[in-house]
Amino acid sequence: MALYVQKFGGTSVGSPERIRAVAEKVKGFRDRGHQVVVVVSAMSGETNRLTDMAESLNASPDPREMDMLLSTGEQVTISLLAMALQELGVPATSHTGAQVGIHTDNAYTRARIQRIETDDLRADLEAGKVVVVAGFQGIDEEGNITTLGRGGSDTTGVALAASLGADECQIYTDVDGVYTTDPRVCSKASRLKSITVEEMLELASLGSKVLQIRAVEFAGKYNVPLRVLSSFEDGPGTLIVAESEKDEDSMEEPLISGIAFNKNEAKLTLLNTPDIPGVASRILGPIAAANIEVDMIVQNVAPAGDYTDFTFTVAKSDYRATKKLIEETILPDLGGGELRGDDNIVKVSLVGVGMRSHAGVASKMFRVLAEENVNIRMVSTSEIKISVVIDEKHMELAVKALHKAFGLDQADIEED
Ligand code: ADP
Ligand code: ASP
Ligand code: MG
């Protein structure tokens, strides 16, 4: 007998029919003698619908009220799933995050889980019940409802699996595993049998929304066996593994495991800023103070030694506020310079632990993009990834060309 935590995403619980199908899947596991904790998301589109409604009433809604609102989406699906299970003769109880005791910090809309109470859950499991838990939500120390950021039900699933010592956390979604890139953008993408925690962390942080990054962090930190699979069809899915557990005798380690892209960033360039010590901090200091996160940063070498250009990216949602801050505070403080902004960009990234032992990935990437006439605006690298910023209109072309050039197209990969 095993204990599984099974998380079902929005599409998987998108209608009463889908909820019934989830109930049947869960029943199947229970009939085979396993204990099951189910975590569900809101029905697909619901979190967006609630967000739009809030923004139609208030341009910048109070984060506490936002979390109060968004947490309702998951409350609908837990109760409906418990009813569907009961209808199939499976004893089941639903719990909100607060009822379980999923304690978080008080950072509304992006709270972090600090501690989970498991006594009640264990008692329900021991009593033979399926436990259905609302994903994406918790409570802070004062009892306020918090949410964990978009995609946060993945994190609820993995955190529960860690707290309960589950045998596996299964993330059921609308694709049958983690692919070499988003299969909706590149039809030749192929499913990976396994991927290392480190690579999955990079892919998630660089824009692949198949798993929320915090979920992968939890899995790595607490050694939770984590699998991504389809809620629509049976199959082995993709296992997220520690690097040491990678199948030694599988084919030679590919150089690149996956390609991620992120359209949610915008680029800002300050032209002709003085090239003297302290300027970077005078630019980024006020931005950090305004709680705006900066991602890539590039400072040009000043040709004449007096002036330089400084470019960085922020989330698209912070673009307008950052522009305003630069125009009204930073440029006057620097005593000059000119601002250029662009929010029609995409960051495309190659990820693979194989990069550590191979040179030439960057030059090959640049050559492939040059052959497609794609201009590279910014570059950043780390041990296992290379990212470039290009114009958004070239995204699909670039992803497909890189996917092919690095041998990831379906026909080029061994079948399992
Ligand atoms: P859920 O609602 O089940 O949480 P999400 O929409 O959050 O599902 O995540 C699944 C989606 O992630 C897929 O439909 C796919 O378009 C996208 N995706 C992005 N990158 C990848 C990838 N490398 N492998 C698989 N899916 C990916
Ligand atoms: N419903 C939330 C969202 O759409 C959480 C989740 O689905 O994981 O982001
Ligand atoms: Mg998701």
Side-chain angles (χ1 to χ4, degrees), residues 318-336:
D318 289 328
Y319 181 54
R320 287 166 121 231
T322 313
K323 257 174 101 167
K324 194 160 171 246
L325 198 59
I326 294 172
E327 276 158 357
E328 292 176 4
T329 310
I330 299 172
L331 289 181
D333 172 56
L334 293 175

Side-chain angles (χ1 to χ4, degrees), residues 185-222:
V185 166
C186 178
S187 59
K188 293 192 173 147
S190 33
R191 182 176 57 81
L192 298 162
K193 272 195 272 184
S194 65
I195 183 166
T196 66
V197 168
E198 219 181 341
E199 289 169 321
M200 195 62 236
L201 273 177
E202 288 284 5
L203 286 178
S205 77
L206 295 167
S208 298
K209 70 166 186 169
V210 61
L211 282 177
Q212 200 199 33
I213 181 163
R214 293 279 299 140
V216 190
E217 280 170 4
F218 261 105
K221 193 165 166 197
Y222 298 103

Side-chain angles (χ1 to χ4, degrees), residues 7 9-10 40-43 47-48 70 74 135-136 149-154:
K7 177 260 171 177
V40 284
S41 292
M43 288 175 151
T47 310
N48 288 342
L70 294 188
E74 274 72 10
F136 175 60
R150 298 307 303 266
S153 301
D154 297 337

Side-chain angles (χ1 to χ4, degrees), residues 376-394:
I376 299 168
R377 312 253 171 222
M378 291 172 89
V379 181
S380 95
T381 62
S382 75
E383 209 188 4
I384 66 161
K385 74 122 208 274
I386 300 178
S387 303
V388 294
V389 167
I390 60 174
D391 292 346
E392 190 176 334
K393 62 177 187 233
H394 291 139

Side-chain angles (χ1 to χ4, degrees), residues 291-359:
N291 244 328
I292 295 171
E293 251 181 67
V294 169
D295 179 26
M296 289 167 98
I297 303 172
V298 174
Q299 182 175 340
N300 283 351
V301 177
D306 295 338
Y307 292 95
T308 183
D309 301 338
F310 192 90
T311 305
F312 59 93
T313 60
V314 296
K316 235 176 215 175
S317 52
D318 289 328
Y319 181 54
R320 287 166 121 231
T322 313
K323 257 174 101 167
K324 194 160 171 246
L325 198 59
I326 294 172
E327 276 158 357
E328 292 176 4
T329 310
I330 299 172
L331 289 181
D333 172 56
L334 293 175
E338 192 188 324
L339 173 65
R340 297 259 170 86
D342 186 353
D343 61 352
N344 291 312
I345 57 161
V346 59
K347 180 170 73 173
V348 177
S349 309
L350 304 181
V351 173
V353 287
M355 244 184 247
R356 279 202 196 107
S357 47
H358 285 81

